[in-house]
């Protein structure tokens, strides 16, 4: 059974810092990996999707990498801003339909 | 932009009531999903549908049923609501198998 772990559970950094969020998964036979952002009380916003054949994806200040063989993904956020404060979730798709989610990392950017 | 809408942001129901949660997507997506999100347990898949009138159980289908009569609409039904179904319910859709999933704003359901 696929398990997804995100460490740390919470992270607080000063504005302007570059930071890395980590995601690990137990079964390397994944179809894709998706990173989401969730603001308090809201739904999920898709940030980046990495197909299993890809190594990384970039969108603006965000860069996500995928190492399937080691069961790891990282989300790199450059030049962090207070508006980046949110919970970040990673999820893996092991088959055609189902996503398995990590517990998330709650990120706080201090002005 | 893909838009996934859910019928209510907040809902309060009594134990034993029949509850309908509605989800609509406007991008002609094949797949639709219902999740619930609970502190400490994360997001868990309840049911999903890959075509009209087709459905498959997710990880926690007990106490729930679903209906998909039209491609754009996917309903989650709580036949007899119980307090342990108090949760945030999130609907999602995707174009096809393994594609990016797009989420709605969520419905926070409280069963008293």
């Amino acid at each position: 059974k696929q398990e997804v772990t995100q460490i740390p559970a919470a992270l607080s950094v000063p504005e302007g810092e570059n930071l890395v969020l980590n995601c690990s998964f137990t079964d390397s036979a994944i179809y894709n990996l998706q990173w989401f952002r969730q603001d308090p009380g809201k739904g999920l916003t898709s940030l980046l999707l990495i197909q299993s054949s890809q190594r990384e994806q970039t969108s603006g200040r965000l860069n996500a990498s995928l190492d399937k063989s080691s069961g790891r993904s990282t989300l790199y956020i450059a030049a962090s801003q207070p508006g980046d404060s949110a919970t970040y979730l990673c999820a893996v798709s092991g088959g055609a339909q189902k996503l398995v989610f990590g517990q998330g990392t709650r990120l706080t950017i201090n002005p | 932009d893909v838009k996934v809408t859910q019928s209510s942001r907040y809902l309060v129901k009594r134990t034993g009531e029949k509850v309908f949660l509605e989800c609509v997507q406007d991008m002609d997506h094949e797949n639709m999903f219902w999740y619930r999100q609970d502190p400490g347990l994360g997001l868990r898949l309840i049911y999903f549908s890959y075509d009209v009138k087709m459905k498959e159980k997710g990880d926690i289908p007990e106490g729930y049923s679903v209906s998909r009569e039209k491609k754009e609409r996917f309903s989650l039904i709580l036949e007899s609501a119980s307090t342990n179904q108090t949760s945030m319910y999130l609907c999602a859709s995707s174009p096809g198998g393994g594609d990016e999933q797009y989420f709605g704003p969520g419905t926070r359901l409280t069963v008293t």
Side-chain angles (χ1 to χ4, degrees):
Chain A
K1 180 184 174 186
Q2 178 75 268
E3 293 184 1
V4 180
T5 303
Q6 292 184 247
I7 294 173
L11 183 63
S12 180
V13 301
E15 181 178 2
E17 280 202 6
N18 303 324
L19 59 99
V20 174
L21 306 181
N22 297 296
C23 173
S24 62
F25 45 95
T26 54
D27 185 350
S28 62
I30 64 169
Y31 198 83
N32 60 41
L33 183 146
Q34 200 166 349
W35 281 95
F36 295 90
R37 168 190 173 131
Q38 186 175 30
D39 293 291
K42 302 288 179 64
L44 277 64
T45 300
S46 179
L47 298 174
L48 290 163
L49 172 73
I50 310 178
Q51 301 290 352
S52 62
S53 57
Q54 297 175 319
R55 297 283 293 184
E56 65 178 316
Q57 282 285 341
T58 297
S59 175
R61 294 183 294 110
L62 305 179
N63 176 275
S65 68
L66 174 63
D67 184 344
K68 253 182 45 171
S69 61
S70 67
R72 293 183 182 180
S73 176
T74 61
L75 180 67
Y76 174 83
I77 303 177
S80 59
Q81 304 169 357
D84 295 330
S85 296
T87 296
Y88 290 80
L89 296 154
C90 77
V92 298
S93 172
Q97 318 287 358
K98 297 170 65 170
L99 283 178
V100 178
F101 283 84
Q103 294 280 343
T105 294
R106 189 173 66 252
L107 176 64
T108 303
I109 308 297
N110 302 303
Chain B
D1 279 354
V2 176
K3 191 162 186 183
V4 180
T5 57
Q6 295 183 230
S7 50
S8 306
R9 291 301 310 277
Y10 301 94
L11 208 53
V12 179
K13 295 292 182 181
R14 294 198 179 275
T15 302
E17 278 192 78
K18 189 169 186 175
V19 181
F20 292 87
L21 302 182
E22 305 285 340
C23 176
V24 177
Q25 50 93 5
D26 67 356
M27 286 301 291
D28 201 36
H29 284 175
E30 299 292 327
N31 303 324
M32 296 187 75
F33 308 84
W34 275 106
Y35 297 87
R36 65 177 282 177
Q37 185 177 30
D38 301 287
L41 296 175
L43 275 99
R44 294 175 291 168
L45 181 65
I46 304 171
Y47 267 98
F48 66 97
S49 168
Y50 50 89
D51 201 353
V52 175
K53 297 190 186 296
M54 305 302 288
K55 63 185 179 184
E56 284 204 23
K57 293 179 180 180
D59 298 318
I60 50 164
E62 297 79 17
Y64 303 94
S65 62
V66 290
S67 173
R68 193 167 181 201
E69 297 296 320
K70 294 185 177 182
K71 192 174 186 180
E72 67 271 18
R73 187 180 297 270
F74 192 35
S75 302
L76 180 69
I77 304 157
L78 288 66
E79 294 289 342
S80 177
S82 63
T83 55
N84 63 12
Q85 292 179 309
T86 291
S87 186
M88 171 71 109
Y89 289 87
L90 292 159
C91 174
S93 71
S94 71
D99 290 328
E100 189 171 3
Q101 289 192 21
Y102 298 88
F103 280 76
T107 295
R108 184 164 295 282
L109 172 67
T110 302
V111 182
T112 62

